[in-house]
Amino acid sequence: MTLVDLPGIDATGIRADNPSAFTLTGTNSWVLGRDPAWVVDPGPALAGHLDAVTAEVHRRGGLGGIALTHDHADHSEGVPGLRERFPQAPLAAGRGAADVVLVTGMRFGPLEALATPGHAPDHFAFVVDRLALTGDAVLGAGSVFIAPDPGALAGYLEGLARLRSRPLEVLAPGHGPVVTDPAAKLEAYVAHRLERERRLVSALVSGARSVPDLLAAAWADVPEPLRPAATVTLAAHLDKLADEDRLPAGVERPRLSELTPP
C-alpha cells in the first residue's frame, strides 16, 4: 500500500499492491472531501488495501458515497468489502447494480461525472474544481487500450475533448503517478491516438490486410506482454474506420475471443 499525494488538493490516493503490465504500479483508489469523504474506485479486494481506504475515510469523517470510473475488477472488486464497512454509503456507476446510474453532467456529492467511454463503455471521469479523477481514460504513464464496443474510439476522443475543455490543474489517474500538466497530457493522448490511426491508414493504403501486418505497421513499439491490448485496440480502430466508410474490403479482423482479456 502506497499513499499518493495531490499537490495543493485535499485528496489522498491509496495505491493497491496489484502491480502488473496493465495496472502499472497498482490501482489508485482516491479519497477526497471531509465530513463526509467520498471514495473513487475502491480497487481490488485486498484486505490491506481496504483497511487503508477505510482508515482514510474514518480520518475524514465518514463515507458519503462510492463512485466507480468503470467496473473492471481492478477498480471495482473492493466495492462489496467497503460497503460492508459502510452499509449506508450509496454507489454511483455507469452500469450494474448502482444506487445512482451516472450520466454526463450529473453530480454525486462533490463529483461531476463526465462520460469518457472507450476503455470501457461505462467509463466516467470525475471533476472536482481543478481536479479530474480519470480512471483508465488517462493514465499517469503510457496509454490505454480501447475496447471495440460500438463507437468506442470516437467516444473516447470525445471524452478527451470534454476533459480538455475544463481548466484542470491536476489529473488523478487510476494507475501511475499524478499528472500536473493536464493540458500537455491530454494533447499528447489525442496526438498518440491519431498517430496510431495515421499509421494504420498508411498500412492499409500500402495493401496490408492481415492482423499481424497491421499490428507490425501501427503498433511495432508495443512490448510482447501488451500485444493482446494492442490487438483489442486495433479492432476499435478498424471499427472507427468502418463507421467512417474508410475501411477497405478484405481486412482481417482480430479474433478477440482468442485473446486473454487485458
Side-chain angles (χ1 to χ4, degrees):
M1 185 272 293
T2 303
L3 294 180
V4 181
D5 291 324
L6 286 174
I9 295 175
D10 186 21
T12 299
I14 301 172
R15 182 168 297 147
D17 187 19
N18 64 331
S20 74
F22 295 105
T23 61
L24 305 181
T25 51
T27 300
N28 297 327
S29 298
W30 297 99
V31 188
L32 66 158
R34 296 175 185 272
D35 303 313
W38 302 79
V39 171
V40 174
D41 289 349
L46 300 175
H49 182 68
L50 290 177
D51 287 346
V53 172
T54 298
E56 182 65 18
V57 167
H58 282 309
R59 191 178 72 83
R60 289 171 174 267
L63 186 58
I66 305 165
L68 287 180
T69 58
H70 61 302
D71 63 8
H72 288 177
D74 58 316
H75 295 257
S76 66
E77 192 180 54
V79 168
L82 193 59
R83 297 192 87 181
E84 285 180 7
R85 302 169 188 219
F86 301 97
Q88 304 305 314
L91 172 67
R95 63 183 175 185
D99 301 296
V100 176
V101 179
L102 298 168
V103 296
T104 286
M106 174 181 288
R107 289 194 173 273
F108 181 66
L111 308 170
E112 180 187 356
L114 291 184
T116 48
H119 179 74
D122 64 319
H123 201 293
F124 282 81
F126 299 104
V127 174
V128 182
D129 298 324
R130 56 196 176 94
L131 165 69
L133 302 110
T134 57
D136 284 2
V138 181
L139 304 182
S143 61
V144 303
F145 75 86
I146 308 300
D149 301 291
L153 185 51
Y156 180 66
L157 292 171
E158 290 169 4
L160 293 181
R162 290 187 188 100
L163 289 170
R164 292 177 82 186
S165 72
R166 298 304 184 95
L168 300 172
E169 295 183 13
V170 180
L171 303 182
H175 306 282
V178 170
V179 176
T180 56
D181 190 347
K185 184 73 167 184
L186 292 166
E187 182 179 350
Y189 256 51
V190 172
H192 171 78
R193 195 54 55 202
L194 295 180
E195 175 60 17
R196 292 286 191 215
E197 181 176 283
R198 186 197 66 76
R199 293 183 193 176
L200 179 59
V201 169
S202 178
L204 291 167
V205 169
S206 298
R209 294 292 184 269
S210 72
V211 168
D213 286 347
L214 295 172
L215 285 172
W219 280 271
D221 57 318
V222 173
E224 187 60 34
L226 298 180
R227 297 296 278 185
T231 305
V232 167
T233 302
L234 167 62
H237 275 270
L238 294 176
D239 286 347
K240 178 176 182 288
L241 294 178
D243 290 343
E244 297 168 352
D245 293 323
R246 294 198 289 150
L247 187 67
V251 175
E252 180 188 7
R253 295 301 189 100
R255 297 177 182 178
L256 300 181
S257 62
E258 299 178 2
L259 296 174
T260 300

